Amino acid sequence: MSHELNNTSISNALDAADFEVAAAPCASPESTEIAPLAGPLRGSIHVPGDKSISHRAVLFSAMAEGTSRVTGVLDSEDVRSSIRCVRALGAEVSLEKQPDGSLAGGITGWGAQGPKQPDEPLDCGNSGTTARLLMGILAPWDIRVTLSGDSSLSTRPMRRITAPLMKMGVRFEPEGREHLPLTEIGSANLRAIEYDAPMASAQLKTAVLLAGTYAQGTTVLNEPARSRNHTELMLPQYGVPTTASDLMSSVEGPRVLQASEVSVPGDPSSAAFLVCAAVLHPGSAIQIENVSLNTARIGFTRTLERMGAQVEVARSGSSGKEPSGMIEACYTPHLKGCEIPAQHIASVIDEIPILALVAAHAQGVTVFRQVGELRVKETDRLAAVVAGLEQLGVDAWEDGDDLFIEGQPDLRIPEGMEFDSKGDHRLAMTWAVAGMTAGVPVKVKGFESVNISYPGFLSDIERLTQ
Ligand code: S3P
């Protein structure tokens, strides 16, 4: 069974048909056998483009006046959802598949004219970033747009986005509904607001800031802990100044984004799976090149260091205002548990499943504080991590919103275990790494969900074992 995106053989321009919705990843009942690593992971590699930055490059270019040039864009199901939606809204997207698997080319946005009324509901697939950022993008336009998603996205909370946008003057139907599908009716007279976000969420922050670019005055977003800041870093590249301190971001409107050039660095969240596999597998030593080293994203390297793992980060340049460079990781035989405090959780939020697997191999208890947000990711990742670790024979439990893992340095995994990814890409890769690094074959149900963020995951692992 092949898990590649359905058109990875296409080497030239991608057209509309290439962005049709793929089969819902969560629907698959099939299991994939994952082979143990053929040897230590060694050598250097580039991981695909950062998912968060790729979404923003596509969406901001679609909003802008003129033709933007983008390179290094991640070709994955989630980013294709963003591309499909902005095309339906009138942006011209001419991206070509590059030899390294990334997408590059031009995107001509709707600019001051605004998006067109789409003929059909916009299907955001599995992508929370697409749905939530689009809500902010559609806020200033007098059109009616229905946003829908797959069965996973249709259970994820949306009131966190609709509540501040309604304060700005946007309407949603049905009113007060928490889940997609939702119909948004924008307002040409958006009010600038100061909003205290109830949780640290870059998707919420971005939706409000993007709406704020069209509102008269200063829109301010305060957050309880620092979330990723790609929007604040990238908007000035599109001619929209932002101000940002640790817990506050703001934008001054009204402004029309102007076309820009964006080069997307490698995704640290994808790199984390290779890094953790190298830390766990004897003899491994790898380098991941040209990866984003944004501090709001590489909390996992600090967590691994605190566990005693041999991990190093070396900055060598930047892509726009995003710092980039290399992450090195070596096998580390003695790991120790540690505590990850609430204010650092946002910087590891997508890496908690794979960090939990590393914690399962460490001496002592690891505690992730205040990780309730994991319950509303692509699946309930908190419950799924506890269940998967219990399957491995590791004591893991939730206490309120905290996650506890009591590691076992001599953990052995029996052959032939079957894990359920629940259609969640990060869980699929976590359980694959559990088997690979333990030297036993395992089965992962719904493994093709890796196409959401890292379609070449298995081939990159294979390359590092040669
Ligand atoms: C993202 C923000 C995070 C993260 C998600 C991508 C983004 O979600 O988990 O994978 O690109 O802004 P929240 O904003 O819900 O925390």
Side-chain angles (χ1 to χ4, degrees):
M1 179 183 167
S2 163
H3 299 300
E4 297 296 302
L5 284 180
N6 51 15
N7 62 335
T8 39
S9 59
I10 290 174
S11 57
N12 44 16
L14 302 179
D15 60 27
D18 297 320
F19 298 102
E20 273 165 18
V21 190
C26 14
S28 168
E30 278 188 70
S31 264
T32 298
E33 179 144 328
I34 306 292
L37 291 179
L41 297 170
R42 298 196 79 92
S44 101
I45 199 161
H46 287 78
V47 287
D50 185 79
K51 183 157 82 71
S52 289
I53 300 175
S54 295
H55 277 298
R56 286 162 175 76
V58 168
L59 296 170
F60 296 4
S61 298
M63 294 170 74
E65 191 77 49
T67 302
S68 297
R69 299 273 154 212
V70 295
T71 56
V73 171
L74 169 67
D75 187 10
S76 78
E77 278 176 12
D78 258 16
V79 179
R80 288 185 182 205
S81 289
S82 282
I83 295 173
R84 189 175 58 243
C85 289
V86 298
R87 274 194 157 148
L89 290 165
E92 279 172 41
V93 183
S94 328
L95 297 181
E96 292 190 4
K97 188 96 168 163
Q98 303 301 300
D100 66 358
S102 68
L103 299 177
I107 301 176
T108 306
W110 50 73
Q113 196 187 310
K116 68 167 199 196
Q117 171 69 53
D119 308 326
E120 289 174 3
L122 299 186
D123 186 341
C124 303
N126 190 246
S127 176
T129 310
T130 304
R132 291 174 173 153
L133 270 52
L134 273 177
M135 287 182 179
I137 290 169
L138 293 168
W141 304 107
D142 188 17
I143 50 177
R144 284 179 73 91
V145 182
T146 301
L147 297 170
S148 65
D150 72 4
S151 56
S152 152
L153 184 56
S154 303
T155 63
R156 297 184 66 186
M158 293 296 157
R159 228 179 276 154
R160 56 179 61 193
I161 314 291
T162 59
L165 293 180
M166 284 169 73
K167 284 185 194 292
M168 298 176 85
V170 180
R171 283 190 298 132
F172 288 91
E173 288 174 0
E175 211 177 300
R177 195 180 143 95
E178 175 66 287
H179 301 122
L180 296 184
L182 279 167
T183 299
E184 177 166 359
I185 304 113
S187 159
N189 295 308
L190 282 186
R191 290 183 287 279
I193 54 167
E194 173 157 6
Y195 192 69
D196 294 334
M199 70 286 290
S201 161
Q203 294 176 352
L204 155 53
K205 173 172 66 179
T206 303
V208 171
L209 292 179
L210 291 179
T213 60
Y214 282 89
Q216 184 75 48
T218 310
T219 295
V220 180
L221 194 289
N222 302 310
E223 43 185 2
R226 182 174 172 242
S227 68
R228 63 192 65 187
N229 60 349
H230 305 303
T231 297
E232 298 91 308
L233 294 180
M234 204 191 279
L235 273 180
Q237 278 182 262
Y238 286 84
V240 178
T242 55
T243 55
S245 63
D246 234 13
L247 298 175
M248 187 277 285
S249 306
S250 73
V251 72
E252 188 87 33
R255 297 251 184 183
V256 177
L257 277 69
Q258 300 299 317
S260 182
E261 284 190 12
V262 177
S263 146
V264 180
D267 194 328
S269 298
S270 297
F273 292 96
L274 307 182
V275 165
C276 291
V279 165
L280 293 178
H281 195 77
S284 297
I286 61 166
Q287 298 89 39
I288 298 164
E289 318 250 18
N290 188 32
V291 62
S292 164
L293 296 182
N294 185 317
T295 52
R297 296 291 302 285
I298 58 164
F300 73 94
T301 61
R302 288 196 301 272
T303 303
L304 289 170
E305 277 168 27
R306 292 186 45 227
M307 289 177 148
Q310 289 184 55
V311 175
E312 271 179 40
V313 167
R315 182 171 174 178
S316 56
S318 56
S319 304
K321 287 189 183 168
E322 293 281 344
S324 59
M326 183 168 72
I327 302 179
E328 273 186 283
C330 295
Y331 169 62
T332 311
H334 303 293
L335 297 164
K336 54 182 194 298
C338 71
E339 179 168 337
I340 298 90
Q343 71 268 26
H344 291 161
I345 289 301
S347 74
V348 295
I349 190 73
D350 292 339
E351 291 68 61
I352 292 173
I354 189 66
L355 287 172
L357 179 70
V358 176
H361 290 266
Q363 177 77 50
V365 175
T366 295
V367 192
F368 293 92
R369 297 283 179 202
Q370 295 302 302
V371 290
E373 276 293 295
L374 290 183
R375 296 199 175 96
V376 290
K377 293 295 178 188
E378 283 81 333
T379 187
D380 179 345
R381 283 188 187 156
L382 189 48
V385 163
V386 168
L389 293 183
E390 274 175 358
Q391 243 185 294
L392 293 173
V394 173
D395 253 347
W397 64 97
E398 303 171 32
D399 184 359
D401 281 344
D402 297 342
L403 168 64
F404 289 75
I405 298 151
E406 186 166 355
Q408 293 177 27
D410 53 358
L411 181 65
R412 297 271 174 278
I413 298 181
E415 207 163 298
M417 295 198 81
E418 184 173 17
F419 297 94
D420 189 354
S421 75
K422 302 191 179 289
D424 183 316
H425 52 132
R426 307 219 190 265
L427 293 173
M429 289 186 273
T430 297
W431 305 131
V433 169
M436 281 172 181
T437 54
V440 293
V442 294
K443 287 183 179 163
V444 180
K445 213 162 144 187
F447 182 75
E448 65 280 7
S449 59
V450 301
N451 285 337
I452 292 294
S453 62
Y454 196 174
F457 169 64
L458 283 185
S459 39
D460 281 357
I461 288 272
E462 219 170 280
R463 202 166 308 150
L464 287 168
T465 54
Q466 269 152 21

